[in-house]
Amino acid sequence: MKTNQFILTLAAFVGILVFTVGCNSSAEKRPATAGELSQVNRDFAKALNAKNAKAAANCYADDAVILPPGQPNVTGQEAIQKYWQGFLDGAGYVDGTVSTIATGSNGDLGYEIGTADLRFKGTDGKIATEKIKYTIVLKRNAEGKWLQTYDMWNPVAEPTAK
């Protein structure tokens, strides 16, 4: 009888210990959810759709680097804002949507891989859709917010007119 009581007491103690350690683990130590990791890219797409280059640049870390296809790298949040402002001013961008394929994290580093459909208005007034694929590397800042630190994309296929 004493053995059964000892086992029950030990099991209760272990259960309380596991619960206490789980409650005290910080959010920074647990893996991020797919929703947390892809939120920054949804915010980025929302900013571009609103034609707001500053809000788009705020989705990047201060020392972030973007690697646009066929163009030089762009480094730093201020330069990234200028890049996206030029994109909005000159490309005929209408809107876009993003779709996450995969995410993952380890500590304060994470990634997102996905696709996006971007719509552009041509000089002839027709709307063309361009599908891209992207990979972004994320890092969690001191406030716990995920920001893009590296961003690379390229077209999947030639744009198609609708």
Side-chain angles (χ1 to χ4, degrees), residues 137-157:
V137 177
L138 306 161
K139 68 179 174 182
R140 192 179 353 225
N141 68 11
E143 292 81 39
K145 182 178 179 179
W146 289 97
L147 296 171
Q148 297 183 57
T149 188
Y150 291 97
D151 181 5
M152 184 168 59
W153 66 95
N154 60 5
V156 173

Side-chain angles (χ1 to χ4, degrees), residues 9 11 30-31 44 62 70 79 81 91 101 118-119 128 142 149 158 160:
T9 303
R30 66 167 173 75
F44 173 75
D62 291 337
Q81 179 179 339
I101 293 172
L118 310 176
R119 295 183 335 125
T149 188
E158 291 295 315
T160 56

